[in-house]
Amino acid sequence: MIGKINSVQQVLQPNQVQPASNAKKNTSFGEILKKSIDQVNTSQIESDKMTEALASGKSVELHDVMISSQKASITMLTAIEVRNKAIEAYQEMMRMQV
């Protein structure tokens, strides 16, 4: 019922912008970068723990350890490539003449 009312309101008032209930707050580049680095770190720590558990004889499946290791590797390589592209973009901006 509420969905029908909202759709009728949008048809009757097309020029007004409806507030988005799922709108995200503005996050800074630094916050996004910190979260991404934290995710890379978390995947590396998880991989290390699983490898250690396998080496110590705990009941950990080999394929789980390999999957965890590959995920950590891929996230690290992605972070390195993003860093390289950011440095490349910065260097290109510094070469620009104003």
Side-chain angles (χ1 to χ4, degrees):
M1 183 70 181
I2 293 176
K4 290 179 183 179
I5 292 172
N6 287 336
S7 64
V8 170
Q9 286 176 344
Q10 289 175 354
V11 170
L12 294 176
Q13 301 168 349
N15 295 333
Q16 289 184 340
V17 177
Q18 299 292 327
S21 60
N22 295 333
K24 295 182 179 180
K25 66 174 187 166
N26 292 336
T27 55
S28 69
F29 177 75
E31 290 173 356
I32 294 170
L33 186 62
K34 183 177 180 343
K35 286 179 185 178
S36 298
I37 291 172
D38 287 342
Q39 288 175 349
V40 170
N41 187 40
T42 301
S43 68
Q44 292 289 326
I45 290 170
E46 180 183 334
S47 174
D48 289 343
K49 285 181 182 179
M50 291 190 77
T51 303
E52 209 172 288
L54 180 69
S56 65
K58 294 181 182 172
S59 63
V60 179
E61 295 293 328
L62 178 61
H63 65 274
D64 290 334
V65 175
M66 293 304 296
I67 290 170
S68 174
S69 175
Q70 286 300 310
K71 282 182 182 179
S73 176
I74 290 170
T75 56
M76 180 59 80
L77 290 174
T78 303
I80 289 170
E81 285 301 317
V82 168
R83 180 206 60 185
N84 291 344
K85 289 294 183 181
I87 290 172
E88 190 177 305
Y90 173 77
Q91 290 172 343
E92 185 67 28
M93 286 182 0
M94 297 314 287
R95 284 191 291 261
M96 287 177 144
Q97 293 182 1
V98 179

Coordinates of all heavy atoms in Angstrom, one line a residue:
M1 N 0.8 -1.2 0.0 CA 0.0 0.0 0.0 C 0.9 1.3 0.0 O 0.6 2.2 -0.7 CB -0.9 0.0 1.2 CG -1.9 1.1 1.3 SD -3.1 0.9 0.0 CE -4.1 2.3 0.3
I2 N 1.9 1.3 0.8 CA 2.8 2.4 0.9 C 3.5 2.6 -0.4 O 3.7 3.7 -0.9 CB 3.7 2.3 2.1 CG1 3.0 2.4 3.4 CG2 4.8 3.4 2.1 CD1 3.8 2.1 4.6
G3 N 3.9 1.5 -1.0 CA 4.6 1.6 -2.3 C 3.8 2.2 -3.4 O 4.2 3.0 -4.2
K4 N 2.5 1.9 -3.3 CA 1.5 2.5 -4.3 C 1.4 4.0 -4.1 O 1.3 4.8 -5.0 CB 0.2 1.8 -4.2 CG 0.2 0.4 -4.7 CD -1.2 -0.2 -4.6 CE -1.2 -1.7 -5.1 NZ -2.5 -2.3 -4.9
I5 N 1.3 4.4 -2.8 CA 1.2 5.8 -2.5 C 2.4 6.6 -2.9 O 2.3 7.7 -3.5 CB 1.0 6.0 -1.0 CG1 -0.4 5.5 -0.6 CG2 1.1 7.5 -0.6 CD1 -0.7 5.4 0.9
N6 N 3.6 6.0 -2.7 CA 4.8 6.7 -3.1 C 4.9 6.8 -4.6 O 5.3 7.9 -5.2 CB 6.1 5.9 -2.6 CG 6.3 6.1 -1.2 OD1 5.8 7.1 -0.6 ND2 7.0 5.1 -0.5
S7 N 4.5 5.8 -5.4 CA 4.5 5.9 -6.8 C 3.5 6.9 -7.3 O 3.8 7.6 -8.3 CB 4.3 4.5 -7.5 OG 3.0 4.1 -7.2
V8 N 2.4 7.0 -6.7 CA 1.4 8.0 -7.1 C 1.9 9.4 -6.8 O 1.8 10.4 -7.6 CB 0.0 7.8 -6.3 CG1 -0.9 9.0 -6.5 CG2 -0.6 6.5 -6.8
Q9 N 2.6 9.6 -5.7 CA 3.2 10.9 -5.4 C 4.2 11.3 -6.4 O 4.3 12.5 -6.8 CB 3.8 10.9 -4.0 CG 2.8 10.9 -2.8 CD 3.5 10.8 -1.5 OE1 4.7 10.5 -1.4 NE2 2.8 11.1 -0.4
Q10 N 5.0 10.4 -6.8 CA 6.1 10.7 -7.8 C 5.4 11.1 -9.2 O 5.9 11.9 -9.9 CB 7.0 9.5 -8.0 CG 7.9 9.2 -6.8 CD 8.7 8.0 -7.0 OE1 8.5 7.2 -7.9 NE2 9.6 7.8 -6.1
V11 N 4.3 10.5 -9.5 CA 3.6 10.8 -10.8 C 3.0 12.2 -10.7 O 3.0 13.0 -11.6 CB 2.5 9.7 -11.1 CG1 1.7 10.2 -12.3 CG2 3.2 8.4 -11.4
L12 N 2.4 12.5 -9.5 CA 1.7 13.8 -9.3 C 2.7 14.9 -9.2 O 2.4 16.0 -9.6 CB 0.8 13.7 -8.1 CG -0.4 12.8 -8.2 CD1 -1.2 12.8 -6.9 CD2 -1.3 13.2 -9.4
Q13 N 3.9 14.7 -8.6 CA 4.9 15.7 -8.4 C 6.2 15.3 -9.1 O 7.2 15.0 -8.4 CB 5.1 15.9 -6.9 CG 3.8 16.3 -6.2 CD 4.0 16.2 -4.7 OE1 5.0 15.6 -4.2 NE2 3.1 16.7 -3.9
P14 N 6.3 15.3 -10.4 CA 7.5 14.9 -11.1 C 8.7 15.8 -11.0 O 9.8 15.4 -11.1 CB 7.1 14.8 -12.6 CG 5.9 15.7 -12.7 CD 5.2 15.7 -11.4
N15 N 8.4 17.1 -10.7 CA 9.5 18.0 -10.6 C 10.2 18.1 -9.3 O 11.3 18.7 -9.1 CB 9.0 19.5 -11.0 CG 8.6 19.5 -12.4 OD1 9.1 18.8 -13.3 ND2 7.7 20.4 -12.7
Q16 N 9.6 17.5 -8.3 CA 10.2 17.5 -7.0 C 11.1 16.3 -6.8 O 10.7 15.2 -7.2 CB 9.1 17.5 -5.9 CG 8.4 18.8 -5.8 CD 7.4 18.8 -4.6 OE1 7.0 17.7 -4.1 NE2 7.0 20.0 -4.1
V17 N 12.2 16.5 -6.2 CA 13.1 15.4 -5.9 C 12.8 14.7 -4.6 O 12.7 15.4 -3.6 CB 14.6 15.9 -5.9 CG1 15.5 14.7 -5.6 CG2 15.0 16.5 -7.2
Q18 N 12.5 13.4 -4.6 CA 12.2 12.7 -3.4 C 13.5 12.4 -2.7 O 14.5 12.0 -3.3 CB 11.5 11.4 -3.8 CG 10.2 11.6 -4.5 CD 9.1 12.2 -3.6 OE1 9.1 12.0 -2.4 NE2 8.3 13.0 -4.2
P19 N 13.5 12.5 -1.3 CA 14.7 12.2 -0.6 C 15.0 10.7 -0.7 O 14.1 9.9 -0.6 CB 14.4 12.6 0.8 CG 12.9 12.6 0.9 CD 12.4 13.0 -0.5
A20 N 16.2 10.4 -0.9 CA 16.6 9.0 -1.0 C 16.8 8.4 0.4 O 17.6 8.9 1.2 CB 17.9 8.8 -1.8
S21 N 16.1 7.3 0.7 CA 16.2 6.7 2.0 C 17.5 5.9 2.1 O 18.0 5.7 3.2 CB 15.0 5.8 2.3 OG 15.0 4.8 1.3
N22 N 18.1 5.5 1.0 CA 19.3 4.6 1.0 C 20.5 5.5 0.7 O 21.5 4.9 0.3 CB 19.2 3.5 0.0 CG 18.1 2.5 0.4 OD1 17.8 2.4 1.6 ND2 17.5 1.8 -0.6
A23 N 20.4 6.8 0.8 CA 21.6 7.6 0.4 C 22.7 7.4 1.4 O 22.5 7.3 2.6 CB 21.1 9.1 0.5
K24 N 23.9 7.3 0.8 CA 25.1 7.0 1.6 C 25.7 8.4 2.1 O 25.5 9.4 1.3 CB 26.1 6.3 0.9 CG 25.7 4.9 0.5 CD 26.8 4.2 -0.2 CE 26.4 2.8 -0.6 NZ 27.5 2.1 -1.3
K25 N 26.3 8.4 3.2 CA 26.9 9.6 3.6 C 28.2 9.8 2.8 O 28.8 8.9 2.3 CB 27.3 9.6 5.1 CG 28.3 8.6 5.5 CD 28.7 8.7 6.9 CE 29.9 7.7 7.1 NZ 30.5 7.9 8.4
N26 N 28.6 11.1 2.7 CA 29.8 11.4 1.9 C 31.0 10.9 2.7 O 31.2 11.1 3.8 CB 29.9 12.9 1.7 CG 28.9 13.4 0.8 OD1 28.3 12.6 0.0 ND2 28.6 14.7 0.9
T27 N 31.8 10.1 2.0 CA 33.0 9.6 2.6 C 34.2 10.1 1.9 O 34.2 10.3 0.6 CB 33.1 8.0 2.6 OG1 33.0 7.6 1.2 CG2 32.0 7.4 3.4
S28 N 35.3 10.4 2.6 CA 36.4 11.0 2.0 C 37.3 9.9 1.3 O 37.2 8.8 1.6 CB 37.3 11.8 3.0 OG 37.9 10.9 3.9
F29 N 38.2 10.4 0.4 CA 39.1 9.5 -0.3 C 40.0 8.8 0.8 O 40.3 7.6 0.6 CB 39.9 10.3 -1.3 CG 41.0 9.4 -2.0 CD1 40.6 8.5 -2.9 CD2 42.3 9.5 -1.6 CE1 41.5 7.7 -3.6 CE2 43.2 8.7 -2.3 CZ 42.8 7.8 -3.3
G30 N 40.4 9.5 1.8 CA 41.3 8.9 2.8 C 40.6 7.8 3.5 O 41.2 6.7 3.8
E31 N 39.3 7.9 3.8 CA 38.5 6.9 4.5 C 38.4 5.6 3.6 O 38.5 4.5 4.1 CB 37.1 7.4 4.9 CG 37.2 8.4 6.0 CD 35.8 9.0 6.3 OE1 34.8 8.7 5.5 OE2 35.7 9.8 7.2
I32 N 38.1 5.8 2.4 CA 38.0 4.7 1.4 C 39.3 4.0 1.3 O 39.4 2.8 1.3 CB 37.5 5.2 0.1 CG1 36.0 5.8 0.2 CG2 37.5 4.1 -1.0 CD1 35.5 6.5 -1.0
L33 N 40.4 4.8 1.2 CA 41.7 4.2 1.1 C 42.1 3.4 2.3 O 42.6 2.3 2.2 CB 42.7 5.3 0.8 CG 44.2 4.9 0.6 CD1 44.2 4.0 -0.7 CD2 45.1 6.1 0.5
K34 N 41.7 3.9 3.5 CA 42.0 3.2 4.7 C 41.2 1.9 4.8 O 41.8 0.9 5.2 CB 41.7 4.1 5.9 CG 42.1 3.4 7.3 CD 41.8 4.3 8.4 CE 42.1 3.7 9.8 NZ 42.3 2.3 9.9
K35 N 40.0 1.9 4.4 CA 39.2 0.7 4.4 C 39.7 -0.4 3.5 O 39.8 -1.5 3.8 CB 37.7 1.0 4.1 CG 36.9 1.7 5.2 CD 35.5 2.0 4.7 CE 34.8 2.8 5.8 NZ 33.4 3.1 5.3
S36 N 40.2 0.1 2.3 CA 40.7 -0.8 1.4 C 42.0 -1.5 1.9 O 42.2 -2.7 1.7 CB 41.0 -0.1 0.0 OG 39.8 0.4 -0.5
I37 N 42.9 -0.7 2.5 CA 44.1 -1.2 3.0 C 43.8 -2.1 4.2 O 44.5 -3.2 4.3 CB 45.0 0.0 3.5 CG1 45.5 0.7 2.2 CG2 46.2 -0.5 4.3 CD1 46.3 2.0 2.5
D38 N 42.8 -1.8 5.0 CA 42.4 -2.7 6.1 C 42.0 -4.1 5.5 O 42.2 -5.1 6.1 CB 41.4 -2.1 6.9 CG 41.9 -1.0 7.8 OD1 43.1 -0.9 8.0 OD2 41.1 -0.2 8.3
Q39 N 41.2 -4.0 4.4 CA 40.8 -5.3 3.8 C 41.9 -6.1 3.3 O 41.9 -7.4 3.4 CB 39.8 -5.0 2.7 CG 38.4 -4.5 3.2 CD 37.5 -4.1 2.0 OE1 38.0 -4.0 0.8 NE2 36.3 -3.9 2.3
V40 N 42.9 -5.5 2.7 CA 44.1 -6.2 2.2 C 44.8 -6.8 3.4 O 45.2 -8.0 3.4 CB 45.0 -5.2 1.4 CG1 46.4 -5.9 1.1 CG2 44.4 -4.8 0.1
N41 N 45.0 -6.0 4.5 CA 45.7 -6.5 5.7 C 44.9 -7.7 6.3 O 45.5 -8.7 6.7 CB 45.8 -5.4 6.7 CG 46.7 -5.8 7.9 OD1 47.7 -6.5 7.7 ND2 46.2 -5.4 9.0
T42 N 43.6 -7.6 6.3 CA 42.8 -8.7 6.9 C 42.9 -10.0 6.1 O 43.1 -11.1 6.7 CB 41.3 -8.3 6.9 OG1 41.2 -7.1 7.7 CG2 40.4 -9.3 7.5
S43 N 42.9 -9.9 4.8 CA 43.1 -11.1 4.0 C 44.5 -11.7 4.1 O 44.6 -12.9 4.1 CB 42.8 -10.8 2.5 OG 43.8 -9.9 1.9
Q44 N 45.5 -10.9 4.3 CA 46.8 -11.4 4.5 C 46.9 -12.1 5.9 O 47.5 -13.2 6.0 CB 47.9 -10.2 4.5 CG 48.0 -9.6 3.1 CD 48.8 -10.5 2.2 OE1 49.6 -11.2 2.5 NE2 48.4 -10.4 0.9
I45 N 46.3 -11.5 6.9 CA 46.4 -12.1 8.2 C 45.6 -13.4 8.2 O 46.1 -14.4 8.8 CB 45.8 -11.1 9.3 CG1 46.8 -10.0 9.5 CG2 45.5 -11.8 10.6 CD1 46.2 -8.8 10.3
E46 N 44.4 -13.5 7.6 CA 43.7 -14.7 7.5 C 44.4 -15.8 6.8 O 44.5 -17.0 7.2 CB 42.3 -14.4 6.8 CG 41.5 -15.6 6.6 CD 40.2 -15.4 5.8 OE1 39.8 -14.2 5.8 OE2 39.7 -16.3 5.2
S47 N 45.1 -15.4 5.7 CA 45.9 -16.4 4.9 C 47.1 -16.9 5.8 O 47.3 -18.1 5.8 CB 46.5 -15.8 3.7 OG 47.4 -16.6 3.0
D48 N 47.7 -16.1 6.5 CA 48.8 -16.5 7.4 C 48.3 -17.4 8.5 O 49.0 -18.4 8.8 CB 49.5 -15.3 8.1 CG 50.3 -14.5 7.1 OD1 50.6 -15.0 6.0 OD2 50.6 -13.3 7.4
K49 N 47.2 -17.1 9.1 CA 46.6 -18.0 10.1 C 46.3 -19.4 9.6 O 46.5 -20.4 10.3 CB 45.4 -17.3 10.8 CG 45.7 -16.2 11.7 CD 44.4 -15.6 12.3 CE 44.7 -14.4 13.2 NZ 43.5 -13.8 13.7
M50 N 45.7 -19.4 8.4 CA 45.3 -20.7 7.9 C 46.5 -21.5 7.5 O 46.6 -22.7 7.7 CB 44.4 -20.5 6.7 CG 43.0 -20.0 7.1 SD 41.8 -20.0 5.7 CE 41.4 -21.8 5.7
T51 N 47.5 -20.9 7.0 CA 48.8 -21.6 6.6 C 49.5 -22.1 7.9 O 49.9 -23.2 7.9 CB 49.7 -20.6 5.9 OG1 49.1 -20.1 4.7 CG2 51.0 -21.3 5.5
E52 N 49.5 -21.3 8.9 CA 50.0 -21.7 10.2 C 49.3 -22.9 10.8 O 49.9 -23.8 11.3 CB 50.0 -20.5 11.2 CG 51.1 -20.5 12.2 CD 51.1 -19.2 13.0 OE1 51.5 -18.2 12.4 OE2 50.7 -19.3 14.2
A53 N 48.0 -22.8 10.7 CA 47.1 -23.9 11.2 C 47.4 -25.2 10.4 O 47.5 -26.3 11.0 CB 45.6 -23.6 11.1
L54 N 47.6 -25.1 9.1 CA 47.9 -26.3 8.3 C 49.2 -26.9 8.7 O 49.4 -28.1 8.8 CB 47.8 -26.0 6.8 CG 48.1 -27.2 5.9 CD1 46.9 -28.2 6.0 CD2 48.3 -26.7 4.5
A55 N 50.2 -26.0 8.9 CA 51.6 -26.4 9.2 C 51.7 -27.1 10.6 O 52.5 -28.0 10.8 CB 52.5 -25.3 9.1
S56 N 50.8 -26.6 11.5 CA 50.9 -27.2 12.8 C 50.0 -28.4 13.0 O 50.0 -29.0 14.1 CB 50.4 -26.1 13.8 OG 49.1 -25.8 13.7
G57 N 49.3 -28.9 11.9 CA 48.6 -30.1 12.0 C 47.2 -30.0 12.4 O 46.5 -31.0 12.7
K58 N 46.6 -28.8 12.5 CA 45.2 -28.6 12.8 C 44.4 -29.1 11.7 O 44.8 -29.2 10.5 CB 44.9 -27.2 13.2 CG 45.7 -26.8 14.5 CD 45.3 -25.4 14.8 CE 46.1 -25.0 16.1 NZ 46.0 -23.6 16.4
S59 N 43.1 -29.3 11.9 CA 42.2 -29.8 10.9 C 41.7 -28.7 10.0 O 40.7 -28.1 10.1 CB 41.0 -30.5 11.5 OG 40.2 -29.6 12.3
V60 N 42.6 -28.4 9.0 CA 42.3 -27.4 8.0 C 42.5 -28.0 6.7 O 43.5 -28.7 6.4 CB 43.2 -26.1 8.2 CG1 42.9 -25.1 7.1 CG2 43.1 -25.5 9.5
E61 N 41.6 -27.8 5.8 CA 41.7 -28.4 4.4 C 42.7 -27.7 3.6 O 42.7 -26.4 3.7 CB 40.3 -28.4 3.8 CG 39.2 -29.3 4.4 CD 39.6 -30.7 4.3 OE1 40.2 -31.2 3.3 OE2 39.2 -31.5 5.3
L62 N 43.4 -28.4 2.8 CA 44.5 -27.8 2.0 C 43.9 -26.8 1.0 O 44.4 -25.7 0.8 CB 45.3 -28.9 1.3 CG 46.4 -28.4 0.3 CD1 47.4 -27.6 1.1 CD2 47.0 -29.6 -0.4
H63 N 42.7 -27.2 0.4 CA 42.2 -26.3 -0.6 C 41.7 -25.0 0.0 O 41.8 -24.0 -0.7 CB 41.0 -27.1 -1.4 CG 39.9 -27.4 -0.6 ND1 39.8 -28.6 0.2 CD2 38.7 -26.8 -0.4 CE1 38.6 -28.6 0.8 NE2 37.9 -27.5 0.5
D64 N 41.2 -25.0 1.2 CA 40.8 -23.8 1.9 C 42.0 -22.9 2.1 O 42.0 -21.7 2.0 CB 40.2 -24.1 3.2 CG 38.8 -24.7 3.1 OD1 38.2 -24.5 2.0 OD2 38.3 -25.4 4.0
V65 N 43.2 -23.5 2.5 CA 44.4 -22.7 2.7 C 44.8 -22.1 1.3 O 45.2 -20.9 1.3 CB 45.5 -23.6 3.3 CG1 46.8 -22.8 3.4 CG2 45.1 -24.1 4.6
M66 N 44.8 -22.9 0.3 CA 45.2 -22.4 -1.0 C 44.3 -21.3 -1.5 O 44.7 -20.3 -2.1 CB 45.2 -23.5 -2.0 CG 46.3 -24.5 -1.8 SD 48.0 -23.8 -1.6 CE 48.2 -23.2 -3.3
I67 N 43.0 -21.4 -1.3 CA 42.0 -20.4 -1.7 C 42.3 -19.1 -1.0 O 42.3 -18.0 -1.5 CB 40.6 -20.9 -1.5 CG1 40.3 -21.9 -2.6 CG2 39.6 -19.7 -1.7 CD1 38.9 -22.6 -2.3
S68 N 42.5 -19.2 0.3 CA 42.8 -18.1 1.2 C 44.1 -17.4 0.7 O 44.2 -16.2 0.7 CB 42.9 -18.5 2.6 OG 43.3 -17.4 3.4
S69 N 45.1 -18.2 0.4 CA 46.4 -17.6 0.0 C 46.2 -16.9 -1.4 O 46.8 -15.8 -1.6 CB 47.4 -18.8 -0.2 OG 48.6 -18.3 -0.7
Q70 N 45.5 -17.5 -2.3 CA 45.3 -16.8 -3.6 C 44.5 -15.5 -3.4 O 44.7 -14.6 -4.1 CB 44.6 -17.8 -4.6 CG 45.5 -18.9 -5.1 CD 46.7 -18.3 -5.8 OE1 46.6 -17.4 -6.7 NE2 47.9 -18.7 -5.4
K71 N 43.5 -15.5 -2.6 CA 42.7 -14.3 -2.3 C 43.6 -13.2 -1.8 O 43.5 -12.1 -2.2 CB 41.5 -14.6 -1.3 CG 40.4 -15.3 -1.9 CD 39.3 -15.4 -0.9 CE 38.1 -16.1 -1.4 NZ 37.0 -16.3 -0.4
A72 N 44.4 -13.6 -0.8 CA 45.4 -12.6 -0.3 C 46.3 -12.1 -1.3 O 46.6 -10.9 -1.4 CB 46.1 -13.2 0.9
S73 N 46.8 -13.0 -2.2 CA 47.7 -12.6 -3.2 C 47.0 -11.6 -4.2 O 47.6 -10.6 -4.6 CB 48.2 -13.8 -4.0 OG 49.0 -13.5 -5.1
I74 N 45.8 -12.0 -4.6 CA 45.1 -11.1 -5.6 C 44.8 -9.7 -5.0 O 45.0 -8.7 -5.7 CB 43.8 -11.8 -6.1 CG1 44.2 -13.0 -6.9 CG2 42.9 -10.9 -6.8 CD1 43.1 -13.9 -7.3
T75 N 44.4 -9.7 -3.7 CA 44.1 -8.4 -3.2 C 45.4 -7.5 -3.0 O 45.3 -6.3 -3.3 CB 43.4 -8.5 -1.8 OG1 44.3 -9.3 -0.9 CG2 42.0 -9.1 -1.9
M76 N 46.5 -8.2 -2.7 CA 47.8 -7.4 -2.6 C 48.2 -6.9 -4.0 O 48.6 -5.8 -4.1 CB 48.8 -8.3 -2.0 CG 50.2 -7.6 -1.9 SD 50.2 -6.1 -0.9 CE 50.2 -6.9 0.7
L77 N 48.1 -7.8 -5.0 CA 48.5 -7.3 -6.4 C 47.6 -6.2 -6.9 O 48.0 -5.3 -7.5 CB 48.4 -8.5 -7.3 CG 49.5 -9.6 -7.1 CD1 49.3 -10.7 -8.1 CD2 50.9 -9.0 -7.4
T78 N 46.3 -6.3 -6.5 CA 45.4 -5.2 -6.9 C 45.7 -3.9 -6.2 O 45.7 -2.8 -6.8 CB 43.9 -5.6 -6.6 OG1 43.6 -6.8 -7.2 CG2 42.9 -4.5 -7.0
A79 N 46.0 -4.0 -4.9 CA 46.4 -2.8 -4.2 C 47.7 -2.2 -4.8 O 47.8 -0.9 -4.9 CB 46.6 -3.1 -2.7
I80 N 48.6 -3.0 -5.1 CA 49.9 -2.5 -5.7 C 49.6 -1.8 -7.1 O 50.2 -0.8 -7.3 CB 50.9 -3.7 -5.9 CG1 51.4 -4.1 -4.5 CG2 52.1 -3.3 -6.8 CD1 52.2 -5.4 -4.5
E81 N 48.8 -2.4 -7.9 CA 48.4 -1.8 -9.2 C 47.7 -0.5 -9.0 O 47.9 0.5 -9.8 CB 47.6 -2.8 -10.0 CG 48.4 -3.9 -10.6 CD 49.6 -3.4 -11.5 OE1 49.4 -2.5 -12.3 OE2 50.7 -3.9 -11.3
V82 N 46.8 -0.4 -8.0 CA 46.1 0.8 -7.8 C 47.1 1.9 -7.3 O 47.0 3.1 -7.8 CB 45.0 0.7 -6.7 CG1 44.4 2.0 -6.2 CG2 43.9 -0.2 -7.3
R83 N 48.0 1.5 -6.5 CA 49.1 2.5 -6.0 C 49.9 2.9 -7.2 O 50.2 4.1 -7.3 CB 50.0 1.8 -5.0 CG 51.1 2.7 -4.5 CD 52.3 2.0 -4.0 NE 52.9 1.2 -5.1 CZ 53.9 0.4 -5.0 NH1 54.4 0.2 -3.8 NH2 54.3 -0.3 -6.0
N84 N 50.3 2.0 -8.1 CA 51.1 2.4 -9.2 C 50.4 3.3 -10.1 O 50.9 4.3 -10.6 CB 51.5 1.1 -10.0 CG 52.5 0.3 -9.3 OD1 53.1 0.7 -8.3 ND2 52.7 -1.0 -9.7
K85 N 49.1 3.1 -10.3 CA 48.3 4.0 -11.2 C 48.1 5.4 -10.6 O 48.2 6.4 -11.2 CB 46.9 3.4 -11.5 CG 46.9 2.2 -12.4 CD 47.4 2.6 -13.8 CE 47.3 1.5 -14.7 NZ 47.8 1.8 -16.1
A86 N 48.0 5.4 -9.2 CA 47.8 6.7 -8.5 C 49.1 7.5 -8.6 O 49.1 8.7 -8.9 CB 47.4 6.5 -7.1
I87 N 50.3 6.8 -8.5 CA 51.5 7.5 -8.6 C 51.8 8.0 -10.0 O 52.2 9.1 -10.2 CB 52.7 6.6 -8.1 CG1 52.6 6.4 -6.6 CG2 54.0 7.1 -8.5 CD1 53.5 5.3 -6.1
E88 N 51.4 7.2 -11.0 CA 51.5 7.5 -12.4 C 50.7 8.8 -12.7 O 51.1 9.7 -13.4 CB 51.1 6.4 -13.2 CG 51.4 6.5 -14.7 CD 51.0 5.2 -15.5 OE1 51.5 4.1 -15.1 OE2 50.2 5.4 -16.4
A89 N 49.5 8.8 -12.2 CA 48.6 9.9 -12.4 C 49.1 11.2 -11.8 O 49.1 12.3 -12.3 CB 47.2 9.6 -11.9
Y90 N 49.7 11.1 -10.5 CA 50.3 12.2 -9.8 C 51.5 12.7 -10.6 O 51.6 13.9 -10.8 CB 50.7 11.8 -8.4 CG 51.5 12.8 -7.7 CD1 50.8 13.9 -7.1 CD2 52.9 12.8 -7.6 CE1 51.5 14.9 -6.5 CE2 53.6 13.7 -6.9 CZ 52.9 14.8 -6.4 OH 53.6 15.8 -5.7
Q91 N 52.3 11.8 -11.1 CA 53.5 12.3 -11.9 C 53.1 12.9 -13.2 O 53.7 13.9 -13.6 CB 54.4 11.1 -12.2 CG 55.1 10.6 -11.0 CD 55.9 9.3 -11.2 OE1 55.6 8.6 -12.2 NE2 56.8 8.9 -10.3
E92 N 52.0 12.5 -13.8 CA 51.5 13.1 -15.0 C 51.0 14.5 -14.7 O 51.2 15.4 -15.5 CB 50.4 12.2 -15.6 CG 49.9 12.7 -17.0 CD 51.0 12.6 -18.1 OE1 51.8 11.8 -18.0 OE2 50.9 13.4 -19.0
M93 N 50.3 14.7 -13.6 CA 49.8 16.0 -13.3 C 51.0 16.9 -13.0 O 50.9 18.1 -13.3 CB 48.9 15.9 -12.1 CG 47.5 15.3 -12.4 SD 46.3 15.2 -11.1 CE 47.0 15.8 -9.6
M94 N 52.0 16.4 -12.4 CA 53.2 17.3 -12.0 C 53.9 17.7 -13.3 O 54.5 18.8 -13.3 CB 54.1 16.6 -11.1 CG 53.5 16.3 -9.7 SD 52.6 17.6 -9.0 CE 53.9 18.7 -8.5
R95 N 53.8 16.9 -14.4 CA 54.5 17.3 -15.6 C 53.7 18.3 -16.4 O 54.2 18.9 -17.4 CB 54.7 16.1 -16.5 CG 55.8 15.2 -16.0 CD 56.2 14.1 -17.0 NE 55.1 13.1 -17.2 CZ 55.2 11.9 -16.6 NH1 56.2 11.6 -15.8 NH2 54.2 11.1 -16.7
M96 N 52.4 18.5 -16.1 CA 51.6 19.4 -16.8 C 52.0 20.9 -16.6 O 52.5 21.3 -15.6 CB 50.1 19.4 -16.3 CG 49.4 18.1 -16.7 SD 47.7 18.2 -16.0 CE 46.8 17.4 -17.2
Q97 N 52.0 21.6 -17.7 CA 52.3 23.0 -17.6 C 51.0 23.9 -17.5 O 50.0 23.6 -18.1 CB 53.0 23.5 -18.9 CG 54.4 22.8 -19.1 CD 55.1 23.3 -20.3 OE1 54.6 24.1 -21.0 NE2 56.3 22.8 -20.5
V98 N 51.1 24.8 -16.6 CA 49.9 25.6 -16.3 C 50.0 26.9 -17.1 O 50.9 27.5 -17.4 CB 49.9 26.0 -14.8 CG1 48.7 26.8 -14.5 CG2 49.8 24.7 -14.0

